[in-house]
Every structure is written in structure tokens, then in C-alpha cells.
Amino acid sequence: MSVQPEALPLAPSPSRRRRQGRFAASESAYERRRERFAWMLVAPSVLIVALVAFYPLYETFRLSLTNARLGSTNTVGYLGLQNYRTILSDSDFIDALRRTVFFTISSVGIELVAGMIIALVINSNFRGRTAMRTSMLVPWAIPTVVSALMWQWMFHDIFGIINDVLVNKLHIIDEKIAWLAGSNTAFAAMVAVDVWKTTPFMALLLLAGLQIIPTDVYEASTVDGASRAQQFWQITLPLVRPALLVALIFRTMDAFRIFDLPYVLTGASPQTQTVAVYARDVLVGFQRLGRGSAAAVIIFLLIAFMVFLYTRLLNFEEE
Amino acid sequence: MADTLRTGAKPFTPEQIREMSSAKVRKRTAGEYIERGLFWLLVAGIIGYTIFPFYYAILSSLTPSNDLFATPAVYWPTSLTWTHYRTVLSDDIFLYGLRNSVIVSFGSVALALIIGSFAAYGLGRFKFRGKTPILYIILSMTMFPAVAILGSLFRMIRGDWFLNTPNVFNSWWALIFTYLTFSLPFTIWVLTNFFKAMPRELEEAALVDGAGPFRTFWQILLPLAAPGIVTTGLLAFIGAWNEFLFALTFTQDEGARTVVVVISQYAGNSQFELPFAKRMAAAVLVTLPLIVLVLIFQRKIIAGLTAGAVKG
């Protein structure tokens, strides 16, 4: 494999052509070796993902067509689409679905507006912005279960400080409200906790998008006499749009599959039941593996459909 | 540039432009003061909103029950007590929960980091067929609804899916393996971007020096990736520590039940005792280590959280 001095002739000679061919062959062998090595690196992860995610997902699809029960090894019967018909005609599921959609739209909507305001505030240069950005991480780091418990205490009907502030300090309402008992107030409380917990995350994602906008764009538009509102709608918003869409994807998926917040905040009461709580109830509570799997498949398909819509929107933007 | 030289006019620097525009505003100092005041009010409001609930949890956990259940609610520390912390820390179920959370979170994160960093090296630094689909599948898995595989994972954990697989229900392994469904894709995704960003010359230099791809990884890229691996590990750790659905479903008692599930089930000792103070003490104990870690690593965490989002 040693390179000879005559490997650099002015005119190509037959021997050089041969050597080139051999070099190309060894290069492709080298590439093949690298490719094989890369597959060796990736293989364990692919195997594990197949085992802990794809096989169970396939099983969920398969079981949703049967009358399987959890913890029973009796032979299972094939039901066709019967489970889906049962689920879709169950008013509890329809209620849970409606509630989850409404929860997703309202909480993600509020988080988007509030997150944008916070991101714009942090992005404007002022002393103490680091402290503010740090404070954003506190709600994010607190486990959802813990934040549900914290707010459960704040929403307490007799001793909770939310009633105390509203009744005794601000005199907005005359009587204390049992927030977590009524179905509308419990839903509002759930949205409030979710907004508190995840707005900071939204703000940080949007802030990252804002920080890559070059400042001279703003300077140029200031010279042209653009107002701040004009700058926001015509410069900031279009330029932050990709980051905004990505943040929306993540938050929509998270809100739609939410489980721990409604489960802990109201003790899994039917009034705040989301589709995830419903599915777990059928799967584990009633041990109906087949029927619960059908609900799980419906949730999976809805989320897959939403991801598809969002990515189409993103690709459309890029073109 | 040539134009300005010829006409002799200089373009305004950004500093001059800023001076000019602020000079225009400076005439209305009152309006400016109000604007500044409103801005700081907004800043204070936002910080107060994000911090207050946690402050109130700490305050409640330190307040004697008598003061806590008095009608004018307490907003400032009046008399403090460690009683609630003593109660929680002498509770075996809570301590077992802490132990389980530590073992399960460390176990699954360690596995995800070891296996995931290999995959990230492969995906970030090599070209091979099937790479793009793998990356897309991994990204899509981070949006996967956990409840979609809850039932079938349950069956696998109980061992009734394949020949004589053992029943690992209510054991650490049940959670360590199932937590890989979210910690492994997350680790791979973040670390792939990290490896991709490293300069190519490093590998070429190693190749010239006769190092194979494995030694290049082990002795050159991995040490350089260490900060990224620590941050990724921390984020995955927080995810595992906070996980609720699997922990609630796949465990049964103090043998494997993690601490967030334990505190979610705290009730009073009797029907008439309100468990809030004890719960707040437990909540603070569970959260404080996370908050401290997050504050120490805050810069890296913000970068790690947002890196994937900006690149798309």
C-alpha cells in the first residue's frame, strides 16, 4: 500500500489507472467497514426500542381486537372491532375526550400567550434577567405530582389561600368556593396548575427562538419608523415561528396525554377524567385489557394524527 | 463602503441610532417612568407567580398545624417547627420510596446513557443506510403516549408474553426497563446533536494517528462529550424521578414503589386529621434536591432543553 513517487505523473499512465481503481476499491471497503461499525453501535438501542416500545405497541393493537383480561391466562377470543364500538359509544369516554381536547386547547393557548410575554420580557435587556430565567426553572423541575399536591392545598375550600385571597383580601367573591369539588371549577383548577407548571418551559423554548433573531433587523426597522407592535407582528412573530411550532407540538402532545395531574389533583374523580385516566381505569382498574387497549389505540392514533398535521405545517413553512 | 467614501457621508452606527431614538423619548420622562414602572411590575409579577407556590409549600411545611388551620391564612413565617419533617423522615414507607426512586432513576439513566451514547456516536458521526428512518423513529418516540403501551407492558412485566420470562412486577427492574421507553430516545436525540456538532478534524487526526473508530470514541470524543452527557443525564434523571403512570401501575408496595407515588397516597392518620403539612414536608424533601441540581446546572439545562427545538 506504499505510495510510489511515480504516482504523480503529468499524464495518466495505464499503471496509474490501475492503482486508482484499487484505491477506490479499498476506499469502499473502508466505507463498508465503517457502516458495519455504525450499525454495531446503533443495534443495542434499536433492539431495546423494539422491545420496550414497538412490540408493546403492536401488542396493544392486537389485544384491542380481543376480549383479553389482565392477569388471566384464559384463552382469548377474537372480537373484531367490537371493543372500539363499545368505547366510542361509552359516554364516559366521549366526555373524557371532549374534556381532554378542551383542556389541551385552553391550557396550550394560555401557555403560548403567557410564554410569549415572558420570553419577550426576558429577551429585552435588563438587569436581573438571569435571575428571572432561573426562576423559570423552578416550576419545571417540580414533579407534576408534587405540584398537584401543592395546588390542592392552595385550592382547599376552608383553609386554602386562594379562597382566602379572593374572599378576605380582594373581596372578589363573597363565599369560599369548593374548587376541586365542582366540575367546572375543578377543570379550571386543572388548567391553572398546568399553566403554572409548563408556561416557563414554553417561555424558554420561545426565548431560544427569539435569541437567534439578529438585532440589526430591529435596528433597521426602528430607523424606518416601525412601532413596537408592528415590529412584533411583522418581524418577531414570523421569525420565531419555527421555534413556536416545535414548542406547540411538544406541549400539545403532553397536554393531550396528561395523566398525573388530574389523577392526583382531584383524586381521579370522574369530573376531571382525561382520556389517559379513562384508559388506565379500564386497563388496570377493571382489568379489561382488550377494551382498554382499544381506548389506548384511539389515543395513540389521535396523537399520531396531530403530530402528522404539525409536521406537515412545519414542512410547508420550510418550503 | 465605497459610496460613503466618495460622498464623504458616514453611515450612522447602531449606537448613534439608539441615542437618537432614545433622545426623542427622553422629552417625556414621566411616560418613560410609568413604562419602566409597569415593566418592573410585570417582572416582579412573573417571578412571584413562578416562585410563590413553592415558597408557600415550604412555609406550610414549617408551620405548626394549629397555625396552618387557622382562618386568617399565614403568608409569612410566624412560628416555625420541624415536626412535619420529623414525621416524614421517621416514616419507613417514605424512606423506602426515596431509596426506590434513587435506584430506579439512576439505573435507567445509567443504562440509557451507556447504550444511548453508542447509538448517538453512530448516528452523529457515521453515514449509513437506514440512519434517517432511525432518527425519525427516535424523535417520534419522544411524543409517544405512555398509556398506549401500558397494558401490554404490564403483561410483559408479569412474564406472560414469551416462554418462561420472569415475573418482575413490583421490582426495580420493572421500572428501570420501562423507563427506557422515554429516557433512551431522549438521550439518543440530544447526544446525536451533540456529537454532530463536534469538528471533523478531531476524528481525522485520530485516524492519522492510527486510532480505530472505537478508540476514537473512547479516548477523544467521549471525554469531549462529557459535559453534554452530564446535562443529558440530569434531564433524563429528572424525567425518571418525576414519572408517575408506570410507577403507579407496575409497583405495589415499599419493595419498589417510588417516592412520588408514596406521597401521592399520603392520607391523614385519621379521618379528622388533615395531611397537608406532612404532604408539604414530603413534597419539599422530594423536590429540593432537584431544584438545587437545576440551579447549579441551569445554563447547561436551558441549552439542553432548547437545543433540539431551535434546530427543528
Side-chain angles (χ1 to χ4, degrees), chain A residues 135 138-139 142 146 150-151 153-154 161 196, chain B residues 47-63 68 73-78 80 85 280-281 283-284 287-288 291:
Chain A
S135 79
V138 171
I142 293 179
V146 169
M150 279 163 40
W151 283 81
W153 165 227
M154 287 166 61
I161 57 156
W196 174 77
Chain B
I47 295 181
Y49 173 65
T50 52
I51 300 286
F52 181 78
F54 192 54
Y55 158 76
Y56 189 65
I58 297 175
L59 178 68
S60 305
S61 71
L62 290 168
T63 307
L68 211 53
V74 217
Y75 292 88
W76 303 104
T78 42
L80 299 179
Y85 284 93
M280 288 307 109
V284 171
T287 313
L288 219 51
I291 302 256

Side-chain angles (χ1 to χ4, degrees), chain A residues 30-31 34-35 37-39 41-42 44-46 48-49 51-57 59-60 62-63 68-73 117-118 121 124-128 130-146 149-154 156 158-161 164-165 168-169 176 192 195-197 199-201 204-205 208-209 212 219 222-223 228 242-243 246 249-250 253 257 259-260 263-264 276 279-280 283-284 289 293 296 299-300 303 307, chain B residues 14 17-18 21 35-36 39-40 42-43 46-47 49-54 56-57 60 68-75 115-116 118-119 121-123 125-130 134 137-139 141-156 158 160-161 177-178 180-181 184-185 188 200 203 207 213-214 235 238 241-242 244-245 248-249 260-261 263-264 274 276 279-280 283-284 286-287 290-291 294-295 298-299 301-302 305-306 308-310 312:
Chain A
Y30 171 73
E31 284 294 313
R34 270 182 73 87
E35 190 164 321
F37 184 74
W39 264 108
L41 289 170
V42 178
S45 292
V46 171
I48 287 184
V49 165
L51 187 71
V52 298
F54 285 93
Y55 172 73
L57 192 61
E59 275 286 285
T60 303
R62 190 180 69 80
L63 291 167
R69 285 179 151 269
L70 207 61
S72 133
T73 41
I117 292 171
I118 295 176
V121 168
S124 68
N125 257 318
F126 68 97
R127 264 195 300 169
T130 331
M132 188 168 172
R133 213 177 53 170
T134 308
S135 79
M136 292 295 107
L137 287 174
V138 171
W140 170 81
I142 293 179
T144 310
V145 171
V146 169
L149 289 173
M150 279 163 40
W151 283 81
Q152 194 183 48
W153 165 227
M154 287 166 61
H156 193 268
I158 304 168
F159 306 114
I161 57 156
D164 189 60
V165 167
N168 301 332
K169 301 286 186 303
K176 293 186 170 180
V195 166
W196 174 77
K197 167 117 178 75
T199 299
F201 177 70
L204 290 176
L205 286 184
I212 55 172
E219 277 153 12
T222 311
V223 175
R228 264 194 252 174
V246 171
I249 297 180
F250 280 113
M253 302 315 125
R257 65 188 173 189
F259 173 81
D260 31 12
Y263 191 89
V264 176
R280 184 185 180 273
L283 278 170
V284 184
L289 191 55
S293 294
I299 297 170
F300 175 79
I303 286 185
V307 175
Chain B
I17 293 169
R18 225 175 280 135
S21 58
E35 197 179 294
R36 280 272 95 179
F39 179 79
W40 284 109
L42 185 64
V43 169
I46 294 169
I47 295 181
Y49 173 65
T50 52
I51 300 286
F52 181 78
F54 192 54
Y56 189 65
S60 305
L68 211 53
F69 303 122
T71 355
V74 217
Y75 292 88
I115 302 165
F118 283 127
Y121 175 46
L123 291 164
R125 306 247 44 133
F126 290 82
K127 263 190 238 155
F128 59 95
R129 256 167 293 143
I134 290 179
I137 287 169
I138 281 165
L139 180 63
M141 276 191 57
T142 56
M143 299 171 194
F144 202 74
V147 74
I149 52 173
L150 188 74
S152 29
L153 279 179
F154 201 133
R155 258 167 70 99
M156 289 169 75
R158 304 259 293 232
D160 29 328
W161 64 293
F177 276 120
T178 50
L180 287 175
T181 53
L184 186 61
I188 296 175
R200 229 194 128 65
E203 265 172 308
L207 193 69
F214 187 75
L235 291 174
I238 291 174
W241 185 269
N242 296 358
F244 184 63
L245 177 61
L248 178 73
T249 310
V260 287
V261 182
I263 62 171
S264 79
L274 289 166
F276 291 106
R279 271 194 203 163
M280 288 307 109
V284 171
V286 168
T287 313
L290 293 187
I291 302 256
V294 162
L295 294 186
Q298 52 152 323
R299 272 178 185 285
I301 286 179
I302 290 174
L305 272 181
T306 54
V310 178

